[in-house]
């Protein structure tokens, strides 16, 4: 029986269709299988992306949505021009990048450290901690943001009360009345705390799962060579988990650039442009500004999308190359060859 | 949060903050569950809306993504790379970026077809299904690819048809992955806020739970007690769902991720 299978998988790639197991499967099947997803995605998400790009080149406000008004009109890149010359946009962009870098950085470092810690702890305890962390992750963004907002409320938030109780020489006074939600620095600090609190468990648990897959012989060898914990992390753990780290990093970047709900709850208004992030700006322009300016919102959205695409181009390339059925087969075959050669030797 | 949910209103507004309530009370839960936030609509309605739309989206998403994952992991076809590319790019474009167009589209779609998609749950159901599809397909792809091809080929040699192979061999082996993907879709849809906010507008009968929360907040000042109680209630279904499959979820996520 193994011989038959070998023969099937040894077919040249171009002739996969003739392999015995697939002879009964006609070609249209894969297309039939993806068609429901493709239609749904195309209608709900892909078409809007195309439109979004188009709208970003037009003047399109609520006026154009009235029944007897003309549709969106081409406006010669006016949105992009005004965006690029708008100091508010640049400061929002800068804030977004800084906040995102901080979120991603802290999340990755904290998550990795806790993942490593969990790996060292006894199994029952690490499972217990892991479940606790997963609860933080599964808490809705809305509830988490509300909890943090409440903690930092002026006059009665837990944090303000505690800071007020601490001796004045340590933290200064006047904390009780301090409003964390007015200044960008304090607001963004809280925002970063919420995001990190919610997203480090995913990193930690993924790292833990990754660590479990590294053979312990490697660490023993490193220890025999006299490596300390730091060195064995950089020379064993990191190279082994490089694909995982790359993936986590890129996912975090995508997710953190998209932060909206948390800011919506924490800032609680569109008054203060200093505390905007890009996604918040899009929503404000498209829905809350008067008149709502869909064209401008779309233009910001395009800028943001291009940014994410540029940052994640690496991930995209890997994802497409990975896991192609014929690649897998080639790998299987070569490992099988190696094994048989070993037996012969 | 959970602690505050049980505090009486007086204790929430005191300067003498304690970590745990002095006199635990259920008044906020009572208000959230039985209160008439909007005349004629209560917590039960919101819960039913949320459950309906979330479970509907999870079920539809599971079916569609399983089919597509089998296609991507098991077949070679011309548009395969294009399809994966589509999935990844869609996953990257932020929801806030698309929501403007999605909203306008659904409005013209309802006008064109005569089926009202805004202001009720049908539009939300469609959007939620579509939003988690890319991630669930990519996750499931790893699981389907991990099923040894030899098993299928052995079954084929024994005379099993394509469907029998799918149901008898692939399904049981991919089930944990399907569960993991469903959890992902569940959390995404259950916690979703911005699409619901935009699509439902003033149609309060159809509000989902996250929107209810924002109701306690703003209108007449912030009512922290009910908010915390509602937040607690909101997390419970996710937690239950989650604890149920925690172990599988972890390995599932990583597996799908590593396999790409």
């Amino acid at each position: 029986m193994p011989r038959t299978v070998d023969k099937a998988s040894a077919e040249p790639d171009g002739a996969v269709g003739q392999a015995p197991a697939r002879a009964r499967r006609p070609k249209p099947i894969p297309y039939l299988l993806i068609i429901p997803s493709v239609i749904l995605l195309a209608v709900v998400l892909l078409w809007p992306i195309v439109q979004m790009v188009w709208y970003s080149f037009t003047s399109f406000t609520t006026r154009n949505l009235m029944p007897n008004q003309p549709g969106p009109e081409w406006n010669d890149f006016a949105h992009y021009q005004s965006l690029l010359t708008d100091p508010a946009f640049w400061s929002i962009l800068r804030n977004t990048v800084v906040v995102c870098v901080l979120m991603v950085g802290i999340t990755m470092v904290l998550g990795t450290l806790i993942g490593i810690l969990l790996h060292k702890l006894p199994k029952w305890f690490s499972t217990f901690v892991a479940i606790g962390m997963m609860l933080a992750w599964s808490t809705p963004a809305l509830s988490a943001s509300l909890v943090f907002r409440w903690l930092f409320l002026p006059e009665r938030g837990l944090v303000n009360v505690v800071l007020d109780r601490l001796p004045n020489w340590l933290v200064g006074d006047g904390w009780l009345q301090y409003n964390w939600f007015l200044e960008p620095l304090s607001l963004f600090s809280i925002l970063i705390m919420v995001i990190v609190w919610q997203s480090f468990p995913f990193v930690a648990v993924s790292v833990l799962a990754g660590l479990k897959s590294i053979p312990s012989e490697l660490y023993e060898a490193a220890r025999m060579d006299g490596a300390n914990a730091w060195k064995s992390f950089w020379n064993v753990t990191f190279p082994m988990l490089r694909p995982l780290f790359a993936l986590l990093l890129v996912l975090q970047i995508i997710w953190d650039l998209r932060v909206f709900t948390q800011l919506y709850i924490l800032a609680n208004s569109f008054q203060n442009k200093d505390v905007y992030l890009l996604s918040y700006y899009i929503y404000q322009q498209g829905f809350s500004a008067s008149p709502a300016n869909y064209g401008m919102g779309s233009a910001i959205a395009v800028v943001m999308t291009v940014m994410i695409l540029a940052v994640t181009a690496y991930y995209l390339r890997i994802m497409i190359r990975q896991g192609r059925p014929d690649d897998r087969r080639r790998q299987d075959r070569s490992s099988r060859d190696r094994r048989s050669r070993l037996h012969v030797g | 949060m959970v602690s505050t949910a049980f505090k009486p209103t007086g204790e929430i507004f005191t300067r003498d903050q304690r970590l745990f309530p002095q006199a635990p009370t259920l008044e906020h839960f009572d208000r959230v569950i039985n209160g008439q936030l909007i005349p004629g609509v209560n917590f039960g309605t919101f819960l039913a809306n949320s459950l309906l739309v979330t479970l509907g989206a999870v079920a539809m998403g599971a079916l569609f993504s399983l089919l597509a994952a089998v296609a991507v992991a098991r077949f070679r076809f011309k548009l395969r790379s294009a399809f994966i590319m589509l999935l990844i790019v869609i996953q990257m474009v932020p929801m806030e970026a698309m929501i403007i167009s999605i909203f306008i589209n659904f409005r013209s779609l309802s006008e064109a077809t005569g089926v009202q998609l805004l202001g009720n749950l049908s539009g939300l159901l469609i959007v939620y299904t579509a939003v988690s599809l890319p991630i669930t397909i990519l996750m499931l792809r790893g699981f389907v690819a991990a099923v040894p091809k030899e098993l299928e080929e052995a079954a084929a040699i024994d005379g099993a048809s394509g469907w029998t192979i799918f149901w008898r061999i692939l399904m049981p082996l991919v089930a944990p992955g399907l569960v993991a993907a469903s959890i992902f879709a569940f959390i995404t849809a259950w916690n979703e806020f911005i699409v619901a906010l935009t699509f439902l507008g003033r149609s309060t009968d159809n509000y989902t739970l996250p929107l209810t929360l924002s109701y306690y907040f703003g209108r007449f000042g912030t009512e922290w007690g009910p908010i915390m109680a509602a937040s607690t209630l909101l997390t419970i279904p996710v937690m239950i769902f989650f604890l149920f499959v925690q172990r599988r979820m972890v390995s599932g996520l990583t597996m799908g991720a590593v396999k790409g």
Side-chain angles (χ1 to χ4, degrees), chain A residues 235-248:
Chain A
N235 294 323
V236 180
T237 313
F238 190 71
M240 289 296 283
L241 296 184
R242 193 193 299 272
L244 180 68
F245 279 122
L247 180 85
L248 289 174

Side-chain angles (χ1 to χ4, degrees), chain A residues 66-120:
Chain A
M66 303 295 168
N68 298 318
Q69 292 286 327
E73 291 155 33
W74 180 262
N75 70 357
D76 297 323
F77 306 101
H79 291 309
Y80 290 97
Q81 277 170 14
S82 67
L83 260 190
L84 295 181
T85 52
D86 176 14
F89 169 72
W90 287 107
S91 83
I92 291 169
L93 182 64
R94 196 197 60 218
N95 286 346
T96 308
V97 171
V98 171
V99 168
C100 181
V101 166
L102 283 172
M103 284 174 189
V104 173
I106 299 175
T107 306
M108 291 299 291
V109 172
L110 189 67
T112 308
L113 286 177
I114 290 179
I116 294 173
L117 188 70
L118 284 180
H119 190 53
K120 302 253 155 85

Side-chain angles (χ1 to χ4, degrees), chain A residues 63-245:
Chain A
R63 190 175 56 88
N64 302 88
L65 290 171
M66 303 295 168
N68 298 318
Q69 292 286 327
E73 291 155 33
W74 180 262
N75 70 357
D76 297 323
F77 306 101
H79 291 309
Y80 290 97
Q81 277 170 14
S82 67
L83 260 190
L84 295 181
T85 52
D86 176 14
F89 169 72
W90 287 107
S91 83
I92 291 169
L93 182 64
R94 196 197 60 218
N95 286 346
T96 308
V97 171
V98 171
V99 168
C100 181
V101 166
L102 283 172
M103 284 174 189
V104 173
I106 299 175
T107 306
M108 291 299 291
V109 172
L110 189 67
T112 308
L113 286 177
I114 290 179
I116 294 173
L117 188 70
L118 284 180
H119 190 53
K120 302 253 155 85
L121 291 172
K123 193 163 189 286
W124 66 270
F125 192 67
S126 85
T127 309
F128 177 74
V129 176
I131 291 179
M133 289 192 317
M134 294 313 253
L135 292 182
W137 181 37
S138 66
T139 303
L142 197 71
S143 310
S145 332
L146 284 170
V147 172
F148 274 82
R149 192 180 158 78
W150 173 78
L151 281 177
F152 287 92
L153 269 187
E155 301 281 347
R156 52 179 186 276
L158 200 58
V159 172
N160 287 31
V161 171
V162 168
L163 281 173
D164 191 60
R165 292 256 184 81
L166 287 175
N168 281 348
W169 54 265
L170 193 65
V171 291
D173 58 356
W175 281 110
L176 199 58
Q177 276 79 33
Y178 188 73
N179 190 338
W180 295 80
F181 304 100
L182 293 180
E183 290 299 316
L185 187 66
S186 53
L187 179 72
F188 285 145
S189 309
I190 298 174
L191 182 68
I192 292 172
M193 272 162 70
V194 183
I195 301 291
V196 170
W197 182 73
Q198 283 212 284
S199 45
F200 84 87
F202 176 67
V203 176
V205 172
S206 301
V207 169
L208 177 65
L211 284 172
K212 285 191 172 150
S213 71
I214 299 179
S216 56
E217 286 86 358
L218 286 177
Y219 289 105
E220 279 161 29
R223 212 178 308 131
M224 293 229 263
D225 289 347
N228 55 21
W230 179 250
K231 272 200 178 142
S232 73
F233 174 79
W234 279 114
N235 294 323
V236 180
T237 313
F238 190 71
M240 289 296 283
L241 296 184
R242 193 193 299 272
L244 180 68
F245 279 122

Side-chain angles (χ1 to χ4, degrees), chain B residues 8 58 104 113 136 192 206 251:
Chain B
V58 167
I104 297 170
T113 57
T136 51
E192 209 289 327
N206 295 302
S251 64

Side-chain angles (χ1 to χ4, degrees), chain B residues 197-224:
Chain B
L197 182 72
T198 316
F199 269 44
L200 294 179
R202 285 179 202 291
S203 130
T204 45
D205 289 359
N206 295 302
Y207 270 21
T208 53
L209 280 176
L211 287 185
T212 332
L213 274 185
S214 71
Y215 230 87
Y216 287 110
F217 163 90
R219 247 340 114 94
F220 315 102
T222 309
E223 301 172 74
W224 294 102

Side-chain angles (χ1 to χ4, degrees), chain A residues 1 4-5 8 13-14 16 21-22 24-27 29-31 33-34 36-38 40-41 43-49 51-52 55 60 65 123 127 130-131 134-135 137-143 146-147 149-150 153 155-158 161 165 176-177 202 205-206 209-210 244 247 250-251 254-255 258-261 264-265 268 279 282-283 286-287 293-294 297-298 301 304-305 308-309 312 315-316 319-320 322-326 328-329 336, chain B residues 1 4 7 12-19 64-65 67-68 70-81 83-107 109 126-127 129-131 133-134 137-138 141 145-147 149-150 152-153 156-157 159-160 165 184 187 190-191 193-194 197-198 210 213-214 217 224 227-228 231 234-235 238-239 242-243 246-247 249-250 253-254 257-260:
Chain A
M1 193 60 68
T4 329
V5 174
D13 288 330
V16 169
R22 5 206 86 221
R24 254 167 275 158
R25 296 171 182 169
K27 251 333 194 185
I29 282 189
Y31 293 101
L33 291 177
I34 62 170
S37 310
V38 169
L40 193 65
L41 288 173
V43 171
V44 180
L45 299 173
L46 191 63
W47 180 233
I49 295 175
Q51 279 180 316
M52 178 185 87
Y55 290 148
F60 189 175
L65 290 171
K123 193 163 189 286
T127 309
I131 291 179
M134 294 313 253
L135 292 182
W137 181 37
S138 66
T139 303
L142 197 71
S143 310
L146 284 170
V147 172
R149 192 180 158 78
W150 173 78
L153 269 187
E155 301 281 347
R156 52 179 186 276
L158 200 58
V161 171
R165 292 256 184 81
L176 199 58
Q177 276 79 33
F202 176 67
V205 172
S206 301
L244 180 68
L247 180 85
V250 175
L251 281 178
I254 297 177
W255 289 338
R258 297 165 61 160
V259 160
F260 173 81
T261 308
Y264 184 84
I265 296 298
N268 194 20
S279 54
I282 295 171
Y283 192 85
F287 291 94
N293 190 343
Y294 295 121
S298 301
M304 186 168 159
T305 308
I308 297 186
L309 276 176
T312 50
Y315 172 56
L316 206 138
M319 287 288 276
I320 292 187
Q322 247 175 13
R324 238 179 259 157
D326 49 316
R328 276 171 46 76
R329 198 170 305 128
R336 210 174 294 144
Chain B
M1 170 179 91
T4 309
K7 281 185 184 177
I12 298 176
F13 290 109
T14 172
R15 287 185 172 221
D16 179 37
Q17 283 292 340
R18 299 284 163 87
L19 201 53
F64 288 2
S65 60
L67 293 179
V70 169
V72 172
R74 275 291 184 260
F75 294 90
R76 295 185 73 218
F77 52 101
K78 265 197 187 132
L79 294 177
R80 186 178 172 277
S81 294
F83 181 60
I84 297 177
M85 179 89 164
L86 172 85
L87 294 180
I88 297 170
V89 171
I90 282 179
Q91 193 187 334
M92 278 175 190
V93 180
M95 200 62 211
E96 291 75 36
M98 287 186 285
I99 190 135
I100 297 171
S101 304
I102 295 179
F103 177 73
I104 297 170
N105 267 351
F106 269 74
R107 209 173 55 169
L109 208 65
I126 296 173
V127 174
T129 308
V131 164
L133 259 188
I137 293 176
L138 291 173
R141 177 174 84 152
V147 175
K149 196 175 235 82
E150 284 78 4
E152 285 173 52
E153 279 162 351
I157 288 165
I165 295 176
F184 209 99
I187 294 182
W190 183 261
N191 293 347
F193 178 64
I194 176 172
L197 182 72
T198 316
L213 274 185
S214 71
F217 163 90
W224 294 102
I227 283 186
M228 296 301 164
S231 296
L234 186 59
T235 16
V238 185
M239 304 273 183
F242 199 81
L243 283 174
Q246 184 262 142
R247 198 172 290 265
M249 169 90 182
V250 172
L253 271 179
T254 320
V258 172
K259 300 252 173 183

